[in-house]
Amino acid sequence: MMNDEIRWQAVAARDASHDGQFVYGVVSTGIYCRPSCPSRQPLRRNVRFFDKAAAAETAGFRACKRCRPQADSAAAQRIARITALCRYIEAHAQDEIDLAQLAAQAHLSRFHLQREFKAVTGLSPRQYHEACR
């Protein structure tokens, strides 16, 4: 568990290795950023730390347009969705599965599922299913 002093050091150094671990909100601007954001360094007294971007938004902050801190959580959700779909395919490897069935499972359109699945795994859903067999 990181304390606020370690987090502040990461913000002051613009340490990209801490991106995704927390975000910081600046009270005077109402914006939250990643630790590596290239924006002007805020005063320490105006900074609040949050574990997730959603917590910062709940507190009334809006996302920085430079570093886009909410993009990390969207990418993580996408990977989690595709990982869950891979587990579904593995569990039903011997069954006939079509793209429409997988799209319904993932709550995506067939075309969007095809693009996302290939972007995350490097394979199409059909290729992954055949490899699991």
Side-chain angles (χ1 to χ4, degrees), residues 22 33 57-58 60 63 68 81-82 84 98 107 109 111:
F22 69 92
C33 299
E57 289 179 6
T58 301
R68 295 193 234 172
R81 181 186 307 131
I82 298 302
D98 64 350
H107 305 290
S109 73
F111 308 107

Side-chain angles (χ1 to χ4, degrees), residues 35-83:
S36 65
C37 185
S39 64
R40 185 173 172 204
Q41 186 173 340
L43 296 175
R44 173 64 181 100
R45 69 175 180 255
N46 292 333
V47 175
R48 305 294 178 267
F49 297 103
F50 302 96
D51 291 329
K52 306 243 183 242
E57 289 179 6
T58 301
F61 293 93
R62 62 184 172 85
C64 175
K65 292 184 179 179
R66 275 181 111 169
C67 66
R68 295 193 234 172
Q70 76 280 19
D72 283 342
S73 61
Q77 289 175 353
R78 182 175 88 169
I79 291 170
R81 181 186 307 131
I82 298 302
T83 303

Side-chain angles (χ1 to χ4, degrees), residues 52-121:
K52 306 243 183 242
E57 289 179 6
T58 301
F61 293 93
R62 62 184 172 85
C64 175
K65 292 184 179 179
R66 275 181 111 169
C67 66
R68 295 193 234 172
Q70 76 280 19
D72 283 342
S73 61
Q77 289 175 353
R78 182 175 88 169
I79 291 170
R81 181 186 307 131
I82 298 302
T83 303
L85 197 58
C86 288
R87 301 297 88 77
Y88 177 81
I89 291 171
E90 292 164 4
H92 297 90
Q94 300 307 319
D95 302 337
E96 287 297 322
I97 303 174
D98 64 350
L99 193 59
Q101 192 176 356
L102 291 175
Q105 181 72 24
H107 305 290
L108 297 171
S109 73
R110 295 180 329 209
F111 308 107
H112 192 67
L113 169 67
Q114 181 84 15
R115 283 190 302 274
E116 275 200 7
F117 197 94
K118 189 148 189 163
V120 172
T121 65

Side-chain angles (χ1 to χ4, degrees), residues 1-13 18 21-25 35 41 43-51:
M1 186 77 188
M2 274 195 272
N3 66 21
D4 285 352
E5 187 57 35
I6 293 171
R7 290 177 175 182
W8 174 248
Q9 292 299 326
V11 170
H18 287 85
Q21 295 178 11
F22 69 92
V23 296
Y24 70 94
Q41 186 173 340
L43 296 175
R44 173 64 181 100
R45 69 175 180 255
N46 292 333
V47 175
R48 305 294 178 267
F49 297 103
F50 302 96
D51 291 329

